[in-house]
Amino acid sequence: MGTTMLGSGHDGLVALIQALGRSIGERFDPARFLDRFSPELARTVPHERLVIALLDEGGRTFTIFAEYAADGTRLYEGRYTTDFDPAARLVVADWAIRDVFTGQALRLDDIPADPRLPAASPVERHLAAMGFRSGVIVPLRSGDRTIGCLSATSRTPRAYQEAHLEAAVRVAELIGPFIEHMVLFQRERRRRQRLRALSGMASALGASLNVRDVFARLAEAVRPVLDFDVIGVALLSASGREVLPLAEIDDAPPPGVPPTPPTRSLDDFSMGARVAAGETVIIHDAPSELDPSLPADREIIEAGGRASLIVPLESGGEVKGGIYFGKRRPNWYDRSDAEIAQGIASQVMLMVQHQQLAEDQRRIALAEGRARRLEQRIETLRSELHERYGFDRIIGRSPALRAALERAEKVAPTETTVLITGESGTGKELVARAIHAASARADGPFLAINCAAIPETLLESELFGYERGAFTGADRQKAGRFEQAAGGTLFLDEVGELSGPVQAALLRVIQEREFQRVGGSATIRADVRLITATNRDLERAAAEGRFRQDLYYRLNVFPIHLPPLRERGTDVLLLAAHFVRSLGVRMGKGDVGLSEEARAALLAHRWPGNIRELSNAVERALILNDGGLIAAGELGLAAPRAEAAPAAGPAAQPAAGVTSLADVERRLVEDALRRAGGNRSEAARLLGLTRSQLYTRLKRFGLEEC
């Protein structure tokens, strides 16, 4: 019967195809496409309405490819496939006879009364309202896939028999591939139009290298080809585990939502791992597809997000971030949108790369600038170091000192271990610093440690460091002085005070040039130059067994002996003048000098504390001094012994047996008055005092009547 109802069989099918073929030659109009096809089909399948519906990808929605109505009334105005409007899509679940999209052919004898068509179904309710009573709806197939359906309806109840249904099935099988090709043609044309429209992005992106600066312009260029309510770009952190928002535009942000999303962990997004793996993700309906237990997913849902499209930003095969589009309506994006979004992403990624390149160039320029400034600073510091610690900065002209400094200058450029000997306060550390400043290690650190000032139990860990847990309280790893001084010089003062175990450890470092932290097993290279100093007679201590002989010979490779201040003659006056100037400026007494009596007292003193004692004496005198020349009494020096003090005039030789500083100062004042014949101005001049300072002392000593 089916063949009979198709007229002459093959000729009837040919007539249908020809009718469709003639439609292709015209501008495609979904409302008129079936105008020539309908009369041919009506010969076998009578109808007053004819509709071809197409399934969208995934089978969630459908649109209308073509529609024919005998009375011209359009049921699906604005919902045509070629409208390319996601809002035109109809949800398959809202259609009561959705089973046809799974391959089931249906015959409807009485639409209003058919139990398969509940009144709540919007599509069928609309049909019934327009007076349609019966119809046949059959799957439209291409190969083994259902791509849509063909629907013929009539206002006459029970207008269709089983033969009509069979004929409709055959027609659908015939035109299915043809319709699919036409759809592909329409989609390809639309795809090319959209891709051409993307060329407008170039001008939007070319205004600046900063994505944030041009993002609003970019969004406006994108909107005509890919609509959105929200658009944004985010980058992945260097670790790839954090999402760093770069820019975002939201047409209608919910109240209280910040304009720029916060930094999120990649694990806060259910789709995060997929995007990071390079996959383009389409979310059709967020509430049903996202995981509200994840913070970022929950925020999307609470903000009203329904459909999303997320495309990775890739460079060199590595995902750097993503661009995302969002709508507050479901089922908005499909695979054709994903292709367009990928084209957008490639241009955005190019811009991000340019921005990062520009930022890298700025960072490089800043780093080069800092490097230049650092080089200048290093050169300045090197110059200052030389000025501060150079051999020419060591004050003194005595032959013994100059001989010691000449030896130090010769050994400085080498890597030789140096042992500096001399009494306490003779300037051993100053000479050690001068050796370092004149060596090839001058740019490296100079670290000094006083071996006598650190308890024996702590000295080894201070020198060599320790591992966490090496002893009680070692809650972290710590580098020792040998590590900290790498590339430079380590100065061990008072090396003669080292205990036996520490002497053994130090000997191993000198011999092997390596060591281990306390409590550790890793061997560390000792890249340091060692300079040691002592005020003890190490040779005697080694001979008597109080110091390791093998260590002594390792330390005493190049000895330098610094003479005590009492053996340096007039150097004491040079040093005193230096301290008066430097300390005077620091204390706000830059106009102070030394009186003749003070100079004589300096020369007469034995200086058991050497230079350190001299510095203290000058500082004490500056505190007491009220201006002018420093008097001998202000130095606070003990009276010299007659046999040790050189003659320096009457004022410099107080009576024998005077030991009190006050007695010395009183006797100096009395001698000055006697020499000045009672003239107080002259006495003040001889003492290097002002008249008021002299009167102060006269009153203190009860000499006002003199």
Side-chain angles (χ1 to χ4, degrees):
M1 176 181 292
T3 303
T4 303
M5 293 188 71
L6 283 173
S8 57
H10 179 72
D11 293 340
L13 294 175
V14 171
L16 290 173
I17 293 297
Q18 288 175 341
L20 288 177
R22 285 192 295 273
S23 300
I24 297 176
E26 304 171 356
R27 184 177 181 276
F28 184 78
D29 182 355
R32 300 185 58 83
F33 177 73
L34 297 177
D35 285 358
R36 294 180 180 178
F37 179 72
S38 176
E40 297 293 340
L41 181 62
R43 297 177 184 179
T44 53
V45 183
H47 57 271
E48 294 168 66
R49 288 189 63 78
L50 192 63
V51 175
I52 297 176
L54 289 178
L55 268 179
D56 294 321
E57 62 182 58
R60 300 172 62 92
T61 60
F62 68 95
T63 52
I64 305 304
F65 176 74
E67 179 180 16
Y68 167 80
D71 60 2
T73 303
R74 308 299 180 195
L75 176 61
Y76 295 107
E77 193 74 47
R79 297 190 178 277
Y80 299 130
T81 302
T82 50
D83 285 346
F84 303 111
D85 184 359
R89 294 171 183 159
L90 296 160
V91 180
V92 171
D94 291 342
W95 198 24
I97 52 176
R98 56 187 173 273
D99 289 344
V100 72
F101 287 131
T102 65
Q104 181 179 348
L106 300 177
R107 190 184 78 195
L108 307 174
D109 293 330
D110 189 356
I111 292 176
D114 195 308
R116 294 170 297 179
L117 308 178
S121 175
V123 178
E124 286 72 22
R125 186 170 62 247
H126 198 178
L127 273 175
M130 295 177 68
F132 289 96
R133 302 296 299 277
S134 60
V136 289
I137 307 176
V138 298
L140 198 65
R141 301 180 65 82
S142 178
D144 59 352
R145 295 176 294 107
T146 299
I147 63 171
C149 70
L150 173 65
S151 170
T153 53
S154 172
R155 288 186 170 87
T156 303
R158 303 183 183 281
Y160 300 101
Q161 305 298 319
E162 195 65 27
H164 294 111
L165 184 62
E166 293 177 4
V169 169
R170 292 193 60 193
V171 170
E173 290 176 349
L174 174 69
I175 68 173
F178 180 80
I179 296 299
E180 184 177 42
H181 285 16
M182 290 196 67
V183 170
L184 292 176
F185 173 77
Q186 295 294 331
R187 288 178 177 169
E188 178 61 20
R189 184 174 66 179
R190 169 61 174 165
R191 186 182 75 88
R192 293 183 180 182
Q193 290 173 345
R194 297 172 84 185
L195 289 175
R196 283 196 298 271
L198 290 182
S199 61
M201 289 180 57
S203 59
L205 297 177
S208 171
L209 286 176
N210 192 313
V211 176
R212 295 186 182 90
D213 293 345
V214 298
F215 197 67
R217 192 178 303 175
L218 168 67
E220 291 309 308
V222 166
R223 196 185 297 274
V225 294
L226 189 63
D227 195 23
F228 56 83
D229 293 327
V230 180
I231 182 174
V233 175
L235 302 179
L236 291 178
S237 63
S239 66
R241 302 309 307 165
E242 289 183 316
V243 179
L244 312 174
L246 185 61
E248 182 181 275
I249 290 177
D250 190 338
D251 291 344
V257 175
T260 302
T263 298
R264 286 288 192 190
S265 167
L266 192 66
D267 296 332
D268 289 345
F269 298 84
S270 59
M271 80 296 293
R274 295 166 61 192
V275 177
E279 179 183 348
T280 295
V281 176
I282 300 175
I283 297 171
H284 299 285
D285 192 18
S288 62
E289 296 178 46
L290 298 186
D291 183 355
S293 68
L294 297 177
D297 280 19
R298 183 169 59 253
E299 286 182 5
I300 293 172
I301 297 171
E302 291 176 351
R306 297 294 297 274
S308 298
L309 173 60
I310 307 102
V311 181
L313 296 176
E314 298 186 70
S315 175
E318 183 179 353
V319 175
K320 301 293 186 179
I323 182 169
Y324 54 93
F325 306 84
K327 284 291 290 186
R328 294 185 171 91
R329 298 183 62 169
N331 305 305
W332 197 265
Y333 301 111
D334 58 21
R335 280 187 297 178
S336 64
D337 296 320
E339 181 183 10
I340 299 302
Q342 288 163 359
I344 297 170
S346 63
Q347 295 195 47
V348 171
M349 185 68 244
L350 185 62
M351 185 178 184
V352 170
Q353 289 175 320
H354 287 167
Q355 177 179 334
Q356 291 177 337
L357 181 61
E359 291 175 351
D360 289 343
Q361 292 296 328
R362 284 195 294 270
R363 281 194 294 270
I364 290 172
L366 289 173
E368 289 176 346
R370 285 195 298 269
R372 286 193 297 271
R373 290 192 295 272
L374 182 59
E375 289 176 357
Q376 294 171 354
R377 179 60 178 157
I378 289 174
E379 187 60 34
T380 301
L381 289 174
R382 184 183 292 115
S383 177
E384 291 177 354
L385 182 67
H386 180 73
E387 290 179 2
R388 184 175 180 184
Y389 295 116
F391 289 108
D392 56 344
R393 301 296 296 176
I394 299 177
I395 299 171
R397 299 172 184 169
S398 70
L401 177 67
R402 299 321 304 176
L405 295 183
E406 286 176 7
R407 286 178 58 80
E409 285 187 89
K410 287 182 179 179
V411 77
T414 71
E415 289 287 299
T416 301
T417 300
V418 177
L419 174 62
I420 305 175
T421 60
E423 295 179 6
S424 179
T426 52
K428 295 187 288 296
E429 182 174 341
L430 186 63
V431 173
R433 286 185 179 275
I435 293 173
H436 169 74
S439 73
R441 295 176 174 266
D443 291 337
F446 177 91
L447 294 185
I449 182 170
N450 189 320
C451 300
I454 299 176
E456 178 183 338
T457 54
L458 299 179
L459 186 57
E460 185 174 3
S461 60
E462 185 70 24
L463 287 173
F464 308 114
Y466 55 81
E467 298 288 348
R468 180 179 180 182
F471 48 82
T472 302
D475 56 352
R476 59 183 176 85
Q477 182 190 81
K478 180 183 178 182
R481 297 301 179 93
F482 272 94
E483 278 184 82
Q484 297 171 20
T489 301
L490 179 60
F491 175 59
L492 300 182
D493 197 7
E494 304 296 350
V495 70
E497 307 303 319
L498 293 178
S499 66
V502 179
Q503 289 182 37
L506 180 59
L507 178 63
R508 182 176 184 276
V509 174
I510 297 173
Q511 290 177 331
E512 307 296 334
R513 308 297 297 177
E514 61 186 28
F515 62 95
Q516 294 175 339
R517 298 190 190 101
V518 176
S521 58
T523 299
I524 302 171
R525 181 72 179 167
D527 179 23
V528 296
R529 181 185 190 173
L530 192 63
I531 299 177
T532 60
T534 182
N535 59 7
R536 293 177 56 183
D537 186 346
L538 281 192
E539 184 176 10
R540 176 180 293 181
E544 296 175 353
R546 292 180 285 108
F547 196 85
R548 293 183 64 114
Q549 284 193 345
D550 46 5
L551 177 59
Y552 168 70
Y553 292 124
R554 290 285 184 179
L555 299 179
N556 196 42
V557 177
F558 195 91
I560 297 174
H561 179 72
L562 297 182
L565 186 56
R566 62 181 171 275
E567 296 178 5
R568 292 174 55 179
T570 57
D571 280 358
V572 65
L573 299 180
L574 297 176
L575 288 166
H578 166 74
F579 290 136
V580 167
R581 286 193 301 271
S582 59
L583 295 176
V585 170
R586 193 170 68 190
M587 299 171 67
K589 297 184 177 182
D591 59 343
V592 178
L594 289 167
S595 67
E596 288 297 329
E597 288 75 8
R599 293 165 63 87
L602 292 172
L603 290 170
H605 193 65
R606 296 290 293 168
W607 302 111
N610 291 291
I611 299 173
R612 189 177 298 116
E613 183 188 1
L614 173 61
S615 174
N616 293 341
V618 171
E619 183 173 3
R620 182 166 55 247
L622 287 170
I623 294 173
L624 296 173
N625 185 265
D626 295 324
L629 299 178
I630 293 175
E634 291 174 330
L635 292 170
L637 302 177
R641 294 179 182 176
E643 68 277 12
Q653 299 181 34
V658 178
T659 57
S660 166
L661 176 61
D663 289 342
V664 171
E665 190 173 4
R666 177 188 175 95
R667 183 60 180 270
L668 288 172
V669 171
E670 290 175 339
D671 288 346
L673 286 170
R674 185 175 59 256
R675 292 168 59 198
N679 186 320
R680 295 185 178 182
S681 296
E682 179 64 17
R685 187 189 68 77
L686 291 173
L687 290 170
L689 300 175
T690 64
R691 284 178 60 86
S692 61
Q693 291 173 333
L694 177 60
Y695 288 142
T696 299
R697 286 159 176 75
L698 292 175
K699 185 176 181 180
R700 181 192 308 160
F701 300 129
L703 301 175
E704 295 97 330
E705 301 302 326
C706 293

